[in-house]
Amino acid sequence: MQLKEVRIMDVGVLAGVVGAAAAVIAVPVAWYYGHRTTRPSRTRVQVRVTNMMPTYDLPNGERRVGERFVAVEAANTGDRVVTITGWGVKLPGDRRMVVTRPPDWATPVPHRLEPGSDATRFLVPADELYRLREQGIPFRRMRAYVMLADGVEVEADRGVPLA
């Protein structure tokens, strides 16, 4: 009879040891997954520059090519809304060029940019950038940027695409 009691007692001890080991493993795993999903989201905005030449359809069926622009495009690839409060072109020597009167069809600031939404365009007349080039500033040293509402400044990955 005592033998059966010892076996039952051994099974109980074994169950307790297995349960404690499972708890030791489960608590850190649960903590990790619980905190992983509540981690604060990050802002991810990509800025790029492209050439742009609008064409206009005239009433007589002809098309007219407009003036040349450099488009500063900002896309929200993050998972939270961002607000663009300013934009411009950085120049050497900690100088900046800001367009005070963009075309009517350019995106106005401040601009709310939803996650995954289409890129917004801010436009710089190419003539203005050519004037800066005449002053000896190479196009590759002209960097477009956007300013976010939280004070973060995001630069384009390359200089202005003009030659």
Side-chain angles (χ1 to χ4, degrees):
M1 216 52 166
Q2 286 182 344
L3 227 105
K4 288 184 179 178
E5 289 179 20
V6 171
R7 285 187 179 169
I8 292 173
M9 192 172 189
D10 288 342
V11 171
V13 171
L14 181 63
V17 169
V18 170
V24 167
I25 293 170
V27 168
V29 169
W31 182 85
Y32 170 76
Y33 281 104
H35 282 80
R36 188 182 68 154
T37 57
T38 60
R39 187 179 309 154
S41 60
R42 292 189 310 162
T43 301
R44 286 187 220 113
V45 175
Q46 292 180 340
V47 177
R48 65 183 197 145
V49 287
T50 59
N51 281 308
M52 184 177 195
M53 266 184 149
T55 57
Y56 302 98
D57 291 330
L58 300 176
N60 63 2
E62 293 179 17
R63 282 195 166 171
R64 185 176 62 107
V65 177
E67 67 179 296
R68 189 173 183 183
F69 290 93
V70 170
V72 179
E73 297 177 346
N76 184 356
T77 59
D79 54 1
R80 68 177 190 164
V81 174
V82 296
T83 301
I84 297 173
T85 58
W87 65 278
V89 177
K90 283 185 171 183
L91 306 172
D94 201 26
R95 296 180 298 162
R96 296 169 189 255
M97 181 188 115
V98 178
V99 177
T100 57
R101 301 177 98 187
D104 294 337
W105 44 275
T107 305
V109 289
H111 179 73
R112 182 180 166 104
L113 198 54
E114 300 290 335
S117 63
D118 292 337
T120 43
R121 284 195 184 107
F122 307 102
L123 302 171
V124 181
D127 293 345
E128 297 296 326
L129 298 171
Y130 279 113
R131 282 194 200 104
L132 292 172
R133 176 70 181 103
E134 290 170 3
Q135 296 174 15
I137 302 171
F139 290 127
R140 70 178 184 285
R141 303 263 331 260
M142 299 178 195
R143 293 277 176 159
Y145 71 93
V146 296
M147 180 68 72
L148 305 180
D150 60 1
V152 173
E153 193 174 274
V154 184
E155 279 188 35
D157 60 347
R158 63 187 178 112
V160 171
L162 295 174

